[in-house]
Amino acid sequence: MAEIVIVPDAAAAGALVADEIARLIRRTPDVVLGLATGSTPVPVYEALPERLQGLDLSSVRGFALDEYVGLDPAHPESYRSVIAREVIEPLGLDPARIRVPDGRLQGIQHAGEDYEAALGAAGGVELQLLGIGTDGHIGFNEPGSSFASLTRVKTLTEQTRSDNARFFDSIDDVPRHCITQGLGTILRAGHLVLLAFGDSKAEAVAGAVEGPVTASLPASAIQLHPHATVVIDEEAASGLRFADYYRYTFDNKPEWQGL
Ligand code: PGA
């Protein structure tokens, strides 16, 4: 069972998770962070600079979850560009230490294997940030993804393409394929931190946290992880049966435990 933390708003979630990341970097300057894209992790990235002031970040390493296939890496909505703009540049990280799966068509056949090899060589991800799709995906592991899956090419659902159309001029510009860490890859990270905000995520969150563990709702894989934290606002928590218990548990949590 994951730990569920219900916070008043996205800024409070960002502060809580950024505190944890700052603690990790202080302890392990070459920590390997698992980075996510989309709207959800933005409050974490915004809260980080203040908390990282004065720390040497030159050896921090990072791996993004996923990338579109066939989108020019220089396109502003490629996840390579998004990670550069939202994480690498504002924090002043070393771009050579931050990897994003290679979605270029040239070499796509072995891009998944290459990414797994790089993750393995880095010793794995310590803290993995996750958003959740309205269809229950994590990374871009759409319904039906194997819990044992590793980084590979997947086909996006029409729901995901339509959810992500807001980042593009039109839905026709949203790629149909992606390369994503698998559920098996994600489950290897030391600590999973899944964030979700707003009503549109309530159903997926309730299924992931309280529903059956099923490949039909890929985020339910987090129930198999020994250290998963779910940080959500009241709207995203609105479908949870045991919300009062989660609040009570967090309010009475021993301080030494951390996240
Ligand atoms: P979002 O996407 O953060 O932009 O809502 C979440 C996801 O698709 O994982």
Side-chain angles (χ1 to χ4, degrees):
M1 178 73 197
E3 177 175 33
I4 321 298
V5 185
I6 302 171
V7 291
D9 53 31
L16 191 69
V17 177
D19 278 342
E20 179 65 14
I21 293 175
R23 199 181 64 76
L24 285 182
I25 295 175
R26 244 178 248 115
R27 195 191 64 195
T28 314
D30 65 345
V31 67
V32 180
L33 299 174
L35 304 168
T37 46
S39 307
T40 304
V42 170
V44 177
Y45 300 145
E46 286 178 349
L48 276 171
E50 188 190 323
R51 288 164 174 78
L52 299 179
Q53 260 173 32
L55 291 183
D56 176 10
L57 304 177
S58 61
S59 41
V60 171
R61 294 172 290 169
F63 285 84
L65 280 170
D66 45 19
E67 177 61 290
Y68 293 112
V69 166
L71 193 64
D72 184 343
H75 187 289
E77 294 306 328
S78 78
Y79 286 165
R80 166 162 301 287
S81 299
V82 172
I83 291 286
R85 190 167 66 235
E86 292 178 356
V87 185
I88 297 176
E89 287 157 17
L91 299 183
L93 302 183
D94 175 1
R97 288 173 183 266
I98 309 295
R99 292 194 58 146
V100 179
D102 188 347
R104 288 173 298 184
L105 292 176
Q106 176 88 29
I108 194 67
Q109 294 87 339
H110 54 79
E113 241 170 86
D114 295 349
Y115 204 64
E116 289 291 330
L119 272 163
V125 165
E126 180 132 357
L127 181 148
Q128 177 64 59
L129 291 173
L130 297 168
I132 181 170
T134 58
D135 66 357
H137 69 216
I138 50 175
F140 270 141
N141 293 282
E142 300 287 30
S145 293
S146 160
F147 284 4
S149 53
L150 302 178
T151 308
R152 75 241 183 266
V153 171
K154 289 288 288 180
T155 305
L156 297 174
T157 61
E158 280 308 291
Q159 191 170 329
T160 297
R161 291 185 66 238
S162 129
D163 285 346
N164 287 7
R166 68 188 192 280
F167 295 115
F168 294 84
D169 291 337
S170 101
I171 189 167
D172 300 328
D173 295 340
V174 185
R176 290 176 194 279
H177 294 93
C178 63
I179 174 166
T180 180
Q181 287 190 31
L183 295 175
T185 318
I186 291 169
L187 287 172
R188 286 179 188 157
H191 182 193
L192 303 183
V193 179
L194 185 147
L195 300 116
F197 309 117
D199 288 333
S200 66
K201 301 292 175 72
E203 196 182 331
V205 165
V209 170
E210 295 180 340
V213 173
T214 167
S216 297
L217 210 158
S220 66
I222 67 167
Q223 294 182 41
L224 300 172
H225 196 281
H227 189 190
T229 308
V230 174
V231 186
I232 49 183
D233 66 5
E234 293 287 347
E235 289 74 24
S238 60
L240 292 174
R241 215 172 126 203
F242 303 112
D244 287 343
Y245 172 65
Y246 307 141
R247 283 195 195 88
Y248 177 82
T249 303
F250 190 68
D251 289 346
N252 291 286
K253 188 177 158 108
E255 212 163 296
W256 55 264
Q257 270 186 342
L259 260 196

